[in-house]
Amino acid sequence: MEVLNTLVLAVLATGFLMVSRRSLDAVIRLYALQNVLLALVSFGLARGEVHFLLAGLALFLIKGVAIPWYLFWLLDRLEVSHEVEGYLSVSLSLLLAGLLTGLAFRVGAVFVLPEAPLPQGVPVALSLVLLGVLSMVSRKKAISQVLGFLALENGVFLLALSESHGLPLFVELGVALDAFAAVFLAGVLIFRIKGEMGHVDTARMRALRG
Amino acid sequence: MSWPLLAAFLLVGASALAGRGRAYPWLLGAGGLGFLLGGGALWGGEASASGFFLMLLGLLTLGLAPYLPDYLAHHPKEARAYAGIVPLFLLAMAGVSLAPPGFAFLFLWEGMALLGYLLVALEGPKAQEGARAFFLASRLSGAGLYLAFLGQGHLGPDWVWAGLLLGFGVKAALFPFHLWLPLAHPVAISPVSALLSGAMTKLGLYGLYQAQAWFGPPPGWVGLALALLGFLGAVYALVRGLGEEDLKGALAYSSVENLGLMLAALGGYFLTGAPLFLAAFFLHQVGHALFKGLLFLGSGALAERRLSRLGGLWRQEPFLGSLWLLGVAVGAGLPPGAVFVAEWALYQGLFAASGFLVLGVGALALVGALALYFYVRLFGLAFLGAARAEVRPELSPGMRGGLLALAVPLGALSLLPDFFLKPLAQEVYPNWGVFPLLFLTLGLVRWLARRPHRAYGTWDCGFPRLSPRMQPNGLGFSEPALRLFPFLRLEVGERPRLEEPLAGVYRQLGKAYSRFARLVQTLQSGSLHFYLLLQLLTLVVVLGVVLL
């Protein structure tokens, strides 16, 4: 249990770091690390059940290796600066992240189901979701929106892991593959945006209005 | 489901695919026959309102089957789309009448509304306003139904019935939600108008009637509101229709009037439970569907629809004239027409009722007198007198067949209403005594008409010959009556005009709504981050609700 507690806290720490770091390379690396940690949580909950092990393995391979690798490749091909551009300073983002995490921990207990195997994971999962949306809101480059979405998706995964005895294996695999497909399509879209407009700054796209 | 109904669904579905081929009228007609037989079995067996509606739909389909292909041949624009969508619309209506209350019902209801909107909107830019009114009314109706269906079990019966009254009432042109109908129905092509007025509006009535089985008995105020608004709407629509220049528009106002009487009959049934009201309710529905279908289909033969430009059609096309006369006589509530029988039952029910409802007798009498005036004006201006413009009615054999297919059941229904109302086990009318009376009347008319009439006028004041333009025009004929009713303002002058304050109220509401919508639109700044921020705030608020 102690180990699992530590792992979950480490996941939360990676979430915080993802909000505060200024370099896209670092954020991607943190994302990979977060997935490795989540895979470890999945192994820790397994207690000999095979589908937990397989799901963790798939998580590690798809989200821990394939997606970060693809994102690095994307960043290189796009030829844009690797700096995170946002509306908020580091300290302000951290402050907001702290507030959102506080909210998540305050309400988290309500969402715990009676037989949840990992009750301490629920507030962390909620914080990951909120932090993911926060980074989507506050950052300008299209690729940071993708990263925010991925962090959010990890929160959902952690929630499923802590509330139930794991989803069926096919669902887990499907979700992981879905995330990869979504990122792949987002990559294609970002290339198109770059081709059309010569930049990937979402703050300068304002045509979507009534 | 019985096999005639199953066959009907398949046949009508096949006709949607067949397009305008040779088999089209046969498929549609056989489908109509299936609806008639299957619905008749249901109605005769257990007096089910679904069976009743299917029967009514079958009768209309039988009239439409020979008419539609011939009509579309003269109407090259979008003919293929009409031929495909009309059967789908029929299927949707039949589906609504068979669906259990729940998601399937709502789905079919909205689908029916959407198909009806398409049928109106296909007419092009000149139908735009009508199509929009139809669409908005459908949205309003849907909102009411969602309130009722989703609120069932959570909200009290008052709320559920308020939702039902709005949802079904809008479709059945309940006053003051009736304004969309005279905008939308006349602009569609005539066969579609016949379907909309004849069948679709009846589904609103069907829903209100079925709702007492689905949602429990209505609270007392529902019946009172239906009776009050029904009579109010009937009088209002007739007076407004007296000032209508468009022939089909006037027919649409008459639909509102008839629906008002049916709603009033249903309200009386809710209040007292007397079977006479039920007899009036059902008989009036099928009578109205047939005579209004006949009149709308007949108006499809005319290229000109302005009453002040029509005239003398009787001499040009006596076939059309005599069928129209039949429809008009039934519509005006002359004995022994089906509408008269229904009103007769309604009178009897009202006389037997206690309290407030007795006042309905006066309202019904006023409606009867106005309806007579209304239809004399309509028929007289269009069919009698001298022709004012060159309007050559075009009636192909198929169109004649369609008109006859509606006129024959209408006559049978008028003479033998008790046969039709057998499932209700309620005698409305001593029908056999009608025949000698009818013959006597016809003989009297014939005898009076035989007398030689003078070809000159003693008191013609030096105008030996009236030119067609000296005949009364649309507003001129009804001007004395319009002056009696203060809720409409008649402006006489170079161009006489009828002002309708109720429409002005709706226009103001529409403007206020658009202003509000524009205010909300400022949220749509175009900034992606702002949209995302709104989502984050929503998420936080939803999480915060947990703390309460």
Side-chain angles (χ1 to χ4, degrees), chain A residues 49-73:
Chain A
E49 285 174 70
V50 181
H51 78 262
F52 270 98
L53 295 175
L54 284 175
L57 202 62
L59 179 77
F60 174 72
L61 287 178
I62 294 176
K63 294 208 269 189
V65 178
I67 291 182
W69 175 82
Y70 177 71
L71 287 174
F72 275 125
W73 177 81

Side-chain angles (χ1 to χ4, degrees), chain B residues 126-472:
Chain B
K126 69 180 186 294
Q128 197 182 19
E129 195 193 348
R132 191 177 296 158
F134 185 98
F135 190 77
L136 289 178
S138 303
R139 300 314 314 135
L140 200 60
S141 152
L145 287 191
Y146 278 108
L147 174 67
F149 277 67
L150 299 181
Q152 186 192 9
H154 306 289
L155 304 170
D158 284 335
W159 281 102
V160 170
W161 274 90
L164 289 169
L165 216 54
L166 181 68
F168 290 127
V170 169
K171 268 281 176 279
L174 180 69
F175 185 86
F177 302 112
H178 68 280
L179 281 183
W180 65 274
L181 193 148
L183 286 176
H185 287 194
V187 294
I189 60 170
S190 293
V192 171
S193 314
L195 269 185
L196 292 176
S197 264
M200 195 192 71
T201 51
K202 306 296 183 299
L203 276 174
L205 301 171
Y206 160 83
L208 281 174
Y209 175 76
Q210 283 292 54
Q212 49 168 348
W214 294 342
F215 298 96
W221 61 268
V222 172
L224 210 58
L226 280 177
L228 194 69
L229 294 177
F231 282 125
L232 208 60
V235 173
Y236 183 92
L238 275 177
V239 175
R240 174 64 184 82
L242 276 173
E244 180 63 40
E245 169 73 6
D246 180 6
L247 181 70
K248 285 174 74 183
L251 288 180
Y253 277 109
S254 151
S255 289
V256 177
E257 173 247 333
N258 283 283
L259 288 163
L261 289 188
M262 295 175 222
L263 288 167
L266 187 65
Y269 173 68
F270 280 168
L271 282 179
T272 65
L276 271 167
F277 285 118
L278 217 50
F281 176 65
F282 280 114
L283 190 62
H284 204 151
Q285 283 190 49
V286 67
H288 175 246
L290 286 172
F291 92 76
K292 195 51 63 67
L294 182 64
L295 294 182
F296 265 129
L297 288 189
S299 72
L302 308 173
E304 171 66 64
R305 292 187 349 212
R306 277 171 296 173
L307 278 174
S308 302
R309 309 272 296 161
L310 288 169
L313 286 174
W314 177 278
R315 296 222 186 114
Q316 292 181 33
E317 186 58 64
F319 176 83
L320 181 66
S322 43
L323 287 187
W324 243 71
L325 183 61
L326 172 69
V328 160
V330 172
L334 293 182
V339 172
F340 168 77
V341 184
E343 285 179 8
W344 175 262
L346 189 53
Y347 267 121
Q348 283 181 305
L350 289 173
F351 272 122
S354 59
F356 243 151
L357 217 48
V358 180
L359 293 178
V361 173
L364 188 54
L366 180 60
V367 169
L370 281 173
L372 201 60
Y373 192 177
F374 180 91
Y375 274 112
V376 164
R377 163 180 181 263
L378 208 57
F379 189 78
L381 286 176
F383 282 83
L384 304 181
R388 272 176 275 223
E390 196 64 26
V391 183
R392 212 167 283 286
E394 288 174 19
L395 272 181
S396 62
M399 290 164 80
R400 284 170 202 267
L403 291 176
L404 276 179
L406 290 180
V408 170
L410 182 59
L413 179 75
S414 302
L415 295 177
L416 300 166
D418 276 338
F419 173 73
F420 184 77
L421 289 178
K422 205 175 268 174
L424 291 179
Q426 172 64 40
E427 292 230 338
V428 286
Y429 195 59
N431 45 15
W432 293 110
V434 166
F435 289 99
L437 257 177
L438 195 62
F439 280 117
L440 274 181
T441 318
L442 288 178
L444 191 68
V445 169
R446 182 107 188 100
W447 183 70
L448 285 174
R450 243 159 49 99
R451 293 200 313 180
H453 55 84
R454 276 184 295 212
Y456 60 91
T458 312
W459 307 104
D460 64 8
C461 300
F463 289 102
R465 188 164 291 163
L466 287 171
S467 86
R469 297 195 43 170
M470 291 174 181
Q471 302 176 94

